Amino acid sequence: MLSSIIWTPLLFGLIGLLVPRRLTAWAAGLGAVVTLGLTIAVLIGFDSGGGMQYVTDVAWISGLGIDYHLGVDGISIFLILLTAAAWVPAVIFAATRGQERSPGLFYLMLLAGETATLGAFLAQDLILFVLFFDLMIVPFYFLFGIWGQDRDGVKASAAVLKMIVFTLIGSLLMLVGAIAAGIIAADGGQLTFSIAEITARGLPDGSQNWIFWFFAAAFLVKMPAFPLHGWMPDAYRAAPLPALAVFSAVLSKVGAYGFLRVVLPMMPDAAELFQTTMIILAVAAIIYGSAMAFTKLDLRLILGFSSVAQLGFITAGIFALNESGGQGAVLQMVNHGLVVVPAFLIVALIAERTGSEEIGPMGGLAKRAPVLAAIFLIVTMATLALPASANFIGEFYILNGIYAQSAALAIIASSGVALAAFYALRMYQRTMHNPLPEGADSREISLRDAVAVVPLVLCVIVLSFCPQLVLSGSEPAVENTVNVTLEGAK
């Protein structure tokens, strides 16, 4: 079942190359929907207290101890569901706009990115995880470079080159760390790269320290997290919005997931040793990302720096090394992904009506578009973590987890909640209210666009009322990860 989930998007992407041009988008959309259906089927049969499930473990490169080892637990189940759910509206939105230039290749790259992302969330072999982690960026290199646009003096080719340089350096460090972890854990015995087996064998304290930072560098770049986010502004401005929506919503979560799946259980002593350092970096990301979002006029960059702040919350929750922080991090990963996809698609709708993505010349779009304004208001309120929203609950869990480690850092981090209100409300007011500028077209959201945007907005609303859907399902897995980390650090 898990192999079917991973490879279905790529299969339909290849089918899209073979069918007539007018059917390419239909094939891509069908592939995204089928993948979502398979993921829901796994969720229905999933037992939150059953540990690792739907396990596939087949020898792949036996001489090197590398296996095709897949599995899903209470942490990854919601992330693969988020991935499958995020890709459907992105593909639908792109299909309704049409792709004049090589549509078959566009949808192949988009669906190949989904395959690699799902593989990273499901891989239980360290080398397999690194392989999928590295492959994720390849389709987006082509998506951003070929179908991206030069904006504000930033060339798409230069932006994507910067992104690749940053991510490849991090990925190379992680590959070295992964190989070293397997060899050191083997200690002259049978070589294996099973994450569970390496965790059981343990790594020496000294080795854990440098391997920790090799992995951390790769994950922090991918998220992106302060201060390794330098590639983000240019890449976000150049990227095509449907591809950017899933990139920001899902690929950034693979880095955070890597800390939970790989770093904490495999390197517990290093996680404890560098706990305060990581929380300080995370809190700095919250403040920096929020402050930068408030200073930007480009909607893409407002959402981009908002994501830096949100990923700061997630990282801080993970390194609180307690159940409250861990559960809040998982919930916030899902929340942020569900909010970011409709947010970026709404940016595209705003640009179509105003001819700009700068909030300076905007305003008054709610005049003849109350439904669009209401949808954007829900997304905005979720972004600023309005009390009773799922984002508020996730951040509350995280802040509670941080407080258990450092009251001072928790208080500083909480200021990010207030800052989010400033930039989120400013973004909404300057786009939806104020006088309608000359040349702007205030029109209601169309049915085809509502089909792409509304379902995820409804998911945001449902999760606000029922956050236990994620919290209860992830609790046993998060508790196990935290316990393994704390016991390993003793």
Side-chain angles (χ1 to χ4, degrees):
M1 179 64 83
L2 299 187
S3 291
S4 298
I5 290 175
I6 290 174
W7 301 111
T8 293
L10 181 59
L11 173 62
F12 277 87
L14 293 171
I15 291 173
L17 289 177
L18 303 177
V19 300
R21 185 186 181 99
R22 67 181 185 278
L23 298 178
T24 299
W26 286 94
L30 181 60
V33 170
V34 170
T35 303
L36 177 58
L38 292 171
T39 307
I40 293 173
V42 168
L43 178 64
I44 292 172
F46 181 78
D47 176 11
S48 61
M52 196 64 66
Q53 297 165 54
Y54 295 95
V55 174
T56 298
D57 192 357
V58 180
W60 181 25
I61 308 176
S62 55
L64 297 178
I66 303 173
D67 295 338
Y68 180 72
H69 187 185
L70 308 174
V72 62
D73 66 357
I75 297 173
S76 54
I77 184 67
F78 296 105
L79 295 175
I80 65 169
L81 186 61
L82 168 66
T83 303
W87 246 266
V88 173
V91 172
I92 292 174
F93 194 89
T96 57
R97 266 65 191 166
Q99 297 296 327
E100 296 297 329
R101 182 169 47 180
S102 305
L105 183 59
F106 175 86
Y107 290 110
L108 173 61
M109 292 296 102
L110 193 58
L111 292 174
E114 183 177 12
T115 284
T117 305
L118 289 167
F121 284 134
L122 295 172
Q124 302 303 318
D125 182 276
L126 194 54
I127 298 299
L128 187 65
F129 172 82
V130 172
L131 176 63
F132 280 123
F133 186 92
D134 291 345
L135 287 177
M136 283 191 306
I137 201 65
V138 175
F140 287 93
Y141 169 80
F142 291 106
L143 287 167
F144 289 14
I146 297 175
W147 290 277
Q149 295 182 344
D150 299 343
R151 296 179 69 244
D152 303 327
V154 177
K155 290 188 174 295
S157 57
V160 76
L161 179 61
K162 183 188 293 187
M163 178 181 73
I164 284 294
V165 169
F166 269 79
T167 54
L168 284 183
I169 291 174
S171 296
L172 179 60
L173 291 174
M174 183 172 63
L175 177 60
V176 172
I179 294 172
I183 294 174
I184 293 171
D187 194 23
Q190 184 178 3
L191 182 64
T192 180
F193 289 96
S194 166
I195 296 174
E197 185 61 31
I198 294 175
T199 299
R201 293 180 179 182
L203 295 170
D205 292 353
S207 299
Q208 285 189 33
N209 293 345
W210 66 267
I211 294 175
F212 174 95
W213 285 112
F214 276 27
F215 275 90
F219 295 153
L220 293 174
V221 167
K222 184 77 76 176
M223 291 169 80
F226 176 83
L228 301 179
H229 67 291
W231 59 269
M232 184 274 289
D234 289 348
Y236 270 46
R237 281 184 287 183
L241 279 167
L244 179 58
V246 292
F247 185 92
S248 181
V250 182
L251 267 73
S252 60
K253 308 306 179 297
V254 180
Y257 169 79
F259 280 120
L260 278 171
R261 173 64 64 216
V262 177
V263 171
L264 263 60
M266 279 180 42
M267 293 159 260
D269 293 309
E272 186 177 57
L273 177 63
F274 301 120
Q275 177 187 24
T276 302
T277 302
M278 293 300 298
I279 294 179
I280 290 173
L281 286 175
V283 172
I286 294 170
I287 305 303
Y288 172 81
S290 299
M292 291 298 293
F294 184 71
T295 63
K296 299 300 178 182
L297 296 178
D298 190 313
L299 285 170
R300 295 185 187 222
L301 293 186
I302 293 172
L303 294 176
F305 282 107
S306 171
S307 295
V308 171
Q310 290 301 313
L311 287 161
F313 273 110
I314 292 167
T315 304
I318 291 170
F319 280 92
L321 300 185
N322 53 47
E323 294 176 30
S324 179
Q327 283 193 274
V330 174
L331 178 60
Q332 200 65 1
M333 281 191 268
V334 177
N335 290 335
H336 180 257
L338 291 176
V339 170
V340 159
V341 173
F344 274 113
L345 297 185
I346 290 172
V347 169
L349 296 179
I350 291 173
E352 291 174 355
R353 287 157 172 76
T354 64
S356 172
E357 294 176 6
E358 298 278 340
I359 62 175
M362 290 182 186
L365 292 181
K367 185 176 182 181
R368 297 186 182 89
V371 176
L372 175 60
I375 292 171
F376 194 30
L377 180 62
I378 294 171
V379 171
T380 302
M381 293 299 104
T383 300
L384 62 85
L386 185 75
S389 69
N391 292 58
F392 174 81
I393 296 168
E395 290 182 4
F396 181 83
Y397 267 78
I398 290 170
L399 291 172
N400 185 52
I402 301 172
Y403 187 84
Q405 303 301 326
S406 171
L409 289 175
I411 293 171
I412 297 171
S414 65
S415 65
V417 179
L419 291 171
F422 280 102
Y423 65 73
L425 292 175
R426 167 176 168 264
M427 175 179 66
Y428 182 81
Q429 181 178 357
R430 292 203 181 183
T431 54
M432 294 294 129
H433 299 306
N434 298 332
L436 184 68
E438 184 178 352
D441 180 15
S442 175
R443 66 180 187 273
E444 191 57 273
I445 187 171
S446 65
L447 179 60
R448 67 173 189 177
D449 293 332
V451 169
V453 174
V454 170
L456 285 189
V457 175
L458 292 177
C459 289
V460 171
I461 295 172
V462 170
L463 202 56
S464 296
F465 286 101
C466 306
Q468 287 299 325
L469 292 173
V470 174
L471 292 172
S472 297
S474 63
E475 182 178 6
V478 170
E479 181 181 358
N480 178 66
T481 298
V482 170
N483 289 340
V484 168
T485 303
L486 295 178
E487 290 172 4
K490 289 180 180 178

